[in-house]
């Protein structure tokens, strides 16, 4: 009998999201299953799961606050409940999302968090409205929260150099951290050099398998958001760091099921997103205390450097895997504005006396 084909990291994550989705659906009204089946063709399991969590929050809110809904269990809500809710119900829900308590914890949502929750509700209502299963669409009447441009937090070139030096020598680490550093230094240098040298997402990084690295063309094959594969190229510094790590990686015996993973944890399992977030925080906190540096900020660092060097927003969008160049333009508008400011000084109309 042929051995079952092993799932790669991304397929396994997709499987876990589907299983979580089924569990969440058991806590929602029965008619919700129709919506999630309806959007399955053009959304990822991760997106549907995020929608499910947000829609569950909405039903929990109206179950607690709405006198009609409080008399029923959430699972027993009929589809007609959507027609009984108004624009004001949704606006009050969004206001409540600014600060609420769950399991004894304060939970807050900024304008982006509330915008995502409204987007989930709009999609939910719109599906049933366009299917002519409900008569009203109050979610469409609620204005999206105004999003303010966020400043791009990134490392300056000198900070990048200090960070990588810090990873190599560990001079500012505690005694306990240094014990781990001896075992992970080469891996950490390779991992952070790869993030800083390619701008890939942390999920794309941890999902890399050994056979995804091609040194003949100096590139890696990654799975982008949305599930499509892409090839990203790297330079000499990344190549050297990866080769050093792979030499060490050959002598590590991975846990069964993790043999293909490129980056391994100390437990010899595929490294997790959380572990990468923690190691970035550990090293970056020794470089700057004013900036909260995450793996995504390393991606911003790369994107900014690439844009400053090339001035080509389409190239930056392509390399970062943005489907819409306007997403990239929005993120790097400040750099574009700074280039335009400098342009004003380039042309002299008359020589100064």
């Amino acid at each position: 009998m042929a051995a079952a084909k092993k799932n790669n990291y991304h397929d396994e994550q997709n499987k876990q999201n589907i299983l979580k989705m089924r569990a969440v659906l058991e806590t929602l009204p029965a008619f919700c299953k129709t919506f999630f089946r309806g959007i399955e063709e053009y959304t990822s399991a991760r997106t549907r799961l995020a929608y499910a969590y947000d829609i569950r929050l909405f039903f929990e809110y109206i179950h607690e606050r709405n006198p009609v809904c409080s008399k029923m269990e959430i699972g027993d809500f009929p589809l007609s409940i959507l027609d009984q809710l108004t624009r004001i119900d949704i606006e009050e829900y969004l206001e409540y999302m600014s600060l609420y308590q769950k399991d004894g914890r304060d939970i807050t949502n900024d304008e982006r968090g509330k915008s995502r929750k409204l987007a989930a509700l709009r999609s939910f209502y719109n599906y049933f409205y366009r299917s002519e299963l409900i008569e009203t669409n109050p979610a469409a009447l609620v204005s999206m929260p105004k999003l303010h441009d966020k400043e791009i937090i990134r490392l300056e070139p000198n900070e990048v150099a200090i960070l990588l030096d810090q990873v190599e020598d560990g001079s500012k680490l505690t005694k306990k951290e240094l014990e781990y550093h001896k075992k992970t230094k080469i891996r950490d240098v390779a991992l952070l050099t790869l993030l800083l040298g390619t701008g890939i997402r942390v999920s794309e990084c941890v999902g890399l398998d050994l056979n995804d690295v091609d040194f003949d063309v100096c590139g890696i094959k990654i799975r982008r958001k949305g599930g499509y594969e892409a090839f990203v190229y790297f330079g000499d510094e990344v190549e050297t760091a990866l080769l050093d790590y792979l030499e060490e990686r050959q002598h590590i015996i991975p846990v069964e099921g993790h043999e293909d993973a490129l980056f391994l944890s100390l437990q010899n399992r595929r490294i997790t997103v959380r572990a990468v977030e923690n190691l970035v925080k550990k090293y970056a906190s020794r470089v700057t205390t004013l900036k909260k540096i995450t793996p995504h900020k390393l991606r911003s660092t790369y994107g900014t450097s690439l844009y400053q060097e090339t001035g080509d927003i389409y190239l930056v969008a392509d390399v970062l895997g943005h489907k819409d160049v306007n997403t990239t333009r929005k993120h790097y508008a400040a750099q574009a504005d700074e280039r335009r400011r400098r342009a004003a000084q380039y042309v002299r109309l008359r020589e100064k006396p």
Side-chain angles (χ1 to χ4, degrees):
M1 183 182 292
K5 184 185 175 185
K6 283 193 300 184
N7 283 343
N8 63 29
Y9 168 80
H10 300 283
D11 291 334
E12 190 60 36
Q13 291 295 110
N14 193 54
K15 174 185 165 185
Q16 293 303 318
N17 285 333
I18 290 171
L19 293 175
K20 288 177 185 176
M21 181 72 195
R22 288 176 183 169
V24 176
L25 277 174
E26 292 302 313
T27 68
L28 291 171
F31 63 83
C32 292
K33 292 179 181 178
T34 307
F35 165 67
F36 286 107
R37 278 198 301 270
I39 65 170
E40 186 172 350
E41 192 175 324
Y42 56 89
T43 56
S44 67
R46 182 180 177 184
T47 296
R48 292 193 299 279
L49 181 60
Y51 274 17
Y53 284 139
D54 285 339
I55 289 166
R56 184 169 68 180
L57 264 178
F58 178 65
F59 283 129
E60 287 173 348
Y61 167 80
I62 63 171
H63 180 253
E64 181 183 331
R65 299 299 177 109
N66 187 292
V68 176
C69 298
S70 63
K71 295 172 183 173
M72 294 178 274
E73 293 300 320
I74 292 174
D76 296 330
F77 285 179
L79 178 57
S80 59
I81 205 81
L82 297 183
D83 271 325
Q84 296 175 43
L85 299 171
T86 67
R87 171 181 180 170
I88 291 174
D89 289 310
I90 295 173
E91 288 176 342
E92 288 178 344
Y93 159 70
L94 291 176
E95 193 281 324
Y96 181 75
M97 286 293 103
S98 298
L99 172 63
Y100 67 99
Q101 282 201 327
K102 189 165 187 176
D103 301 326
R105 293 187 302 123
D106 285 346
I107 299 177
T108 61
N109 280 280
D110 61 12
E111 61 220 15
R112 281 174 170 76
K114 289 191 282 188
S115 184
R116 284 192 295 269
K117 285 171 173 52
L118 179 55
L121 273 184
R122 278 186 169 185
S123 179
F124 187 62
Y125 259 95
N126 197 43
Y127 174 81
F128 290 111
Y129 184 71
R130 294 183 68 176
S131 301
E132 299 183 340
L133 295 171
I134 58 175
E135 295 178 1
T136 60
N137 188 0
L141 304 175
V142 180
S143 299
M144 277 288 184
K146 181 174 173 59
L147 298 182
H148 296 89
D149 290 336
K150 291 199 298 185
E151 181 186 0
I152 297 177
I153 298 175
R154 57 186 170 80
L155 292 171
E156 297 297 332
N158 65 309
E159 291 175 325
V160 170
I162 294 169
L163 174 66
L164 292 176
D165 287 345
Q166 181 61 222
V167 181
E168 286 187 335
D169 62 40
S171 58
K172 294 183 180 178
L173 299 179
T174 65
K175 281 188 178 180
K176 187 175 181 180
E177 287 173 336
L178 279 171
E179 288 300 311
Y180 292 110
H181 182 255
K182 291 175 187 174
K183 302 171 186 174
T184 66
K185 179 179 80 169
I186 295 175
R187 180 205 69 188
D188 293 352
V189 169
L191 201 156
L192 287 173
T193 303
L194 179 64
L195 289 174
L196 284 162
T198 61
I200 61 174
R201 297 177 177 90
V202 62
S203 59
E204 295 163 351
C205 178
V206 302
L208 284 169
D209 287 338
L210 289 165
N211 61 8
D212 289 330
V213 185
D214 185 343
F215 287 103
D216 289 338
V217 295
C218 287
I220 50 172
K221 183 176 70 177
I222 59 172
R223 184 85 70 91
R224 291 289 197 193
K225 281 171 70 176
Y228 69 97
E229 290 183 341
F231 215 77
V232 174
Y233 299 94
F234 53 77
D236 296 343
E237 291 170 293
V238 175
E239 180 184 21
T240 300
L242 284 175
L243 286 170
D244 288 345
Y245 169 65
L246 285 172
E247 188 176 333
E248 179 183 80
R249 172 73 175 74
Q250 288 177 345
H251 305 291
I252 300 173
I253 301 173
V255 170
E256 186 178 353
H258 298 259
E259 298 90 349
D260 296 333
L262 174 60
F263 291 111
L264 297 172
S265 68
L266 281 171
Q267 292 74 40
N268 296 340
R269 298 174 178 273
R270 183 185 295 275
I271 199 166
T272 63
V273 168
R274 177 62 60 86
V276 176
E277 289 171 343
N278 287 338
L279 77 87
V280 169
K281 180 180 178 182
K282 176 177 72 176
Y283 291 118
S285 64
R286 268 65 178 202
V287 177
T288 173
T289 55
L290 298 177
K291 304 172 186 174
K292 184 182 177 184
I293 300 300
T294 64
H296 195 75
K297 300 302 185 291
L298 301 187
R299 180 169 156 83
S300 296
T301 298
Y302 173 82
T304 302
S305 297
L306 182 60
Y307 184 61
Q308 287 176 339
E309 288 296 321
T310 66
D312 188 340
I313 200 71
Y314 292 95
L315 174 64
V316 177
D318 185 40
V319 173
L320 291 181
H322 290 163
K323 288 185 178 179
D324 185 353
V325 73
N326 288 319
T327 302
T328 321
R329 188 175 283 114
K330 181 175 65 178
H331 280 60
Y332 298 97
Q335 277 70 40
D337 187 61
E338 181 58 33
R339 288 167 65 86
R340 287 195 296 270
R341 285 176 183 273
R342 290 203 304 269
Q345 307 302 320
Y346 292 149
V347 178
R348 287 272 174 243
L349 304 181
R350 290 188 293 175
E351 290 297 323
K352 288 184 179 180

